[in-house]
């Protein structure tokens, strides 16, 4: 029964695994950003995501290579200043019968005032479900790489 459940979970996770979307195809990182911050959202447990600092540094290095100025202040996005964004890396995972299973999400978003009201502006988002024996570290790095393959 346990093997059946694990096999079913694996098939389920692989079957409806990924969606990625660039909301503004004309968006160019170097031209359309003044400042960006990389933020980590760690909702992983049981050793399912252990390379948080490496993931953040990897994303920051990719941004710098594209000519983007990096900030360490998480509040820069809330300043509602033009062309300020955050690149978020969110991992929600836990260990189940020895396997790490969960959701990996990479997104770029900022905020804009439209008719005097605050709106979230999404530039890019990728989410997927995965299950791995060891951890999700490589999945996170692969997702960051994938984001920079589709972003200009």
């Amino acid at each position: 029964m346990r093997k059946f459940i694990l096999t079913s979970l694996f098939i389920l996770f692989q079957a409806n695994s990924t969606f990625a979307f660039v909301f503004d195809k004309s968006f160019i990182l170097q031209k359309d950003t003044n400042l960006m911050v990389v933020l980590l959202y760690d909702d992983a447990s049981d050793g399912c995501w252990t390379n948080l600092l490496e993931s953040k540094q990897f994303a920051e290095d990719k941004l710098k290579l594209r000519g983007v100025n990096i900030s360490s202040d998480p509040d820069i996005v809330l300043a509602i200043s033009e062309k300020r964004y955050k690149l978020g890396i969110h991992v929600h995972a836990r260990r189940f019968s020895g396997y790490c299973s969960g959701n990996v999400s990479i997104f770029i978003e900022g905020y804009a005032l439209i008719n005097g009201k605050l709106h979230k502006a999404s530039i890019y988002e990728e989410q997927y479900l995965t299950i791995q024996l060891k951890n999700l570290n490589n999945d996170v790095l692969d997702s960051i790489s994938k984001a920079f393959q589709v972003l200009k």
Side-chain angles (χ1 to χ4, degrees), residues 92-133:
H92 185 115
R94 70 179 184 92
R95 200 164 289 281
F96 176 75
S97 295
Y99 289 85
C100 282
S101 61
N103 181 51
V104 176
S105 175
I106 309 291
F107 56 90
I108 295 177
E109 63 187 21
Y111 295 91
L113 280 176
I114 301 172
N115 296 326
K117 295 184 179 174
L118 184 64
H119 294 266
K120 182 168 74 170
S122 294
I123 301 301
Y124 173 85
E125 184 171 0
E126 175 193 9
Q127 277 194 50
Y128 68 94
L129 300 170
T130 186
I131 185 168
Q132 298 292 337
L133 180 58

Side-chain angles (χ1 to χ4, degrees), residues 8-145:
S8 298
L9 281 174
F10 182 77
I11 291 169
L12 174 69
F13 277 99
Q14 297 305 316
N16 71 9
S17 56
T18 302
F19 90 81
F21 196 79
V22 178
F23 293 93
D24 182 356
K25 296 197 186 315
S26 68
F27 184 84
I28 298 171
L29 285 167
Q30 185 176 19
K31 180 182 73 112
D32 293 322
T33 60
N34 286 334
L35 199 57
M36 191 173 284
V37 63
V38 176
L39 298 177
L40 304 178
Y41 302 91
D42 180 13
D43 289 319
S45 60
D46 305 319
C48 285
W49 185 27
T50 61
N51 68 342
L52 282 79
L53 294 178
E54 178 187 358
S55 299
K56 182 176 182 174
Q57 188 64 54
F58 185 63
E60 287 177 347
D61 289 347
K62 292 279 192 184
L63 289 167
K64 288 176 188 174
L65 285 172
R66 298 284 179 98
V68 176
N69 295 317
I70 305 297
S71 173
S72 60
D73 180 6
D75 294 329
I76 61 125
V77 179
L78 297 176
I80 314 299
S81 294
E82 193 173 306
K83 299 183 178 184
R84 291 185 176 193
Y85 297 92
K86 69 177 170 184
L87 187 153
I89 304 167
H90 185 190
V91 177
H92 185 115
R94 70 179 184 92
R95 200 164 289 281
F96 176 75
S97 295
Y99 289 85
C100 282
S101 61
N103 181 51
V104 176
S105 175
I106 309 291
F107 56 90
I108 295 177
E109 63 187 21
Y111 295 91
L113 280 176
I114 301 172
N115 296 326
K117 295 184 179 174
L118 184 64
H119 294 266
K120 182 168 74 170
S122 294
I123 301 301
Y124 173 85
E125 184 171 0
E126 175 193 9
Q127 277 194 50
Y128 68 94
L129 300 170
T130 186
I131 185 168
Q132 298 292 337
L133 180 58
K134 189 173 180 185
N135 58 45
L136 305 185
N137 293 352
N138 288 333
D139 292 77
V140 173
L141 295 175
D142 290 346
S143 292
I144 295 167
S145 290

